[in-house]
Amino acid sequence: IDPAQRIFDRFGLTYRAVAADTGSIGGDASHEFQVIADTGEDAIVYCPDSDYAANIELAEALPLLDMRAAATQNLVKAPTPDKSTCAAVAELLGLPLSRTVKSLVLATDDKNDSGEIVKTTVWLLLVRGDHSLNEVKAGKLPGLKTGHRFATVAEIEQHFGCKPGYLGPIAPCKPVQVVADRTVALMSDFVCGANEADFHHTGVNWGRDMPEPDLVADIRNVVAGDPSPDGKGRLEIQRGIEVGHVFLLGTQKYSEPMKANFLDENGKPQPFVMGCYGIGVTRLLGAAIEQNHDERGIIWPPAMAPFSVVICPIGMDRSDAVRSAAEALHDELAGAGIDVLLDDRGERPGAMFADWELIGLPLRVVISDRGLKAGTVEVQGRREAGASVVPLTEAAQAVRSRLEA
């Protein structure tokens, strides 16, 4: 992780290294590097009071109840005409959305050697009405990790006797595997579908109204305000752009199957501990722009800028003095190893400045006849509101000092 962090630190980016799912690459662990950006495609979960950070796929969701309360309500089948979502049912019944339970139906297929389906198992996954299913977590459950799909409408109607929108764990028509999220497993007197169109059950309780779930697991996405898994605070969520990923592959995924061994100090073969990494070079550019821009254009971090400084001579095509000073400064800076660009297009000042503000080079040096008569040039950083007047003889040193700061 440290080499990648040094790279992103040098680029001046605000980022987080977050624990991540290893996905199809596999291995023992992995970390993503996420550049913080409101426009990012990824959700990053972190605890402001500790070092805990993970992407939404991996972030652990702790149960939001300490224990299951005793039942206080009778089981009632309540009419909920045309209310097929938890939000609509909660509004109709005048209950918090957190009192409802959402049903999601998956299926797994057992196949023979010819690839023909010989058995289908239907799974009912239950999360609280205000939560969402985490498919990555669900895909790691015993029985689901070898491959699963969402059940078809026909399979749902066959097992529950009802169309989607009114499903629940009480008395399905055919056996299903019931998986309850940790929080749902501790709920009492909750609301769920009655397996009948336009009806939901209220006052639902485990054990009394239906068997305990076949499996209790963390299958939901965390939400802001959830307790941090390390017990040190509450979770917050922000957006990010993934620009790098490192994997600890260990030995079991590749080394041992391939018999990739080395001889240890005792002359005995041992499997290599493997790892891999990648940095998204083009993604870095986009992420840097997302973090470094204003209404005028890009503001490149110095380490990423295509050039460190641009010399903008005003009236270069008309003034030999301006041309001579600009070319001399360009050569001096280039000789000092600085990436410098001379704008010799002869553009008007306003158009020339607008172009370079849009492109976003870190420093701009303006040379004009008026400044040369006073023996000065103007040096301005891309983030600065105004220019600094510098003696022409000290211009190169002023640029070097700015870039080294």
Side-chain angles (χ1 to χ4, degrees), residues 1 4 20 22 29-33 242 244-248 275-278:
I1 293 177
T22 56
S30 76
H31 275 79
E32 291 174 352
F33 295 92
E242 182 186 350
H245 208 147
V246 295
F247 295 86
L248 173 59
C276 64
Y277 66 92

Side-chain angles (χ1 to χ4, degrees), residues 7 16 27 30 49 58 99 118 120 182 202 278 288 345 370 375 378 395:
I7 291 171
R16 289 186 185 277
S30 76
D49 302 313
L58 192 70
R99 287 279 303 280
V118 295
T120 294
R182 291 170 170 177
T202 65
R345 297 176 298 163
R370 183 173 63 179
E378 295 180 355

Side-chain angles (χ1 to χ4, degrees), residues 77-108:
K77 188 167 75 170
T80 54
D82 298 321
K83 308 299 181 184
S84 60
T85 66
C86 288
V89 171
E91 183 180 8
L92 176 68
L93 300 178
L95 297 173
L97 186 57
S98 59
R99 287 279 303 280
T100 66
V101 168
K102 185 186 306 181
S103 297
L104 302 108
V105 187
L106 304 181
T108 54

Side-chain angles (χ1 to χ4, degrees), residues 267-285:
K268 295 183 178 180
Q270 301 290 344
F272 287 106
V273 176
M274 295 180 65
C276 64
Y277 66 92
I279 291 177
V281 176
T282 54
R283 275 177 162 257
L284 272 173
L285 300 178

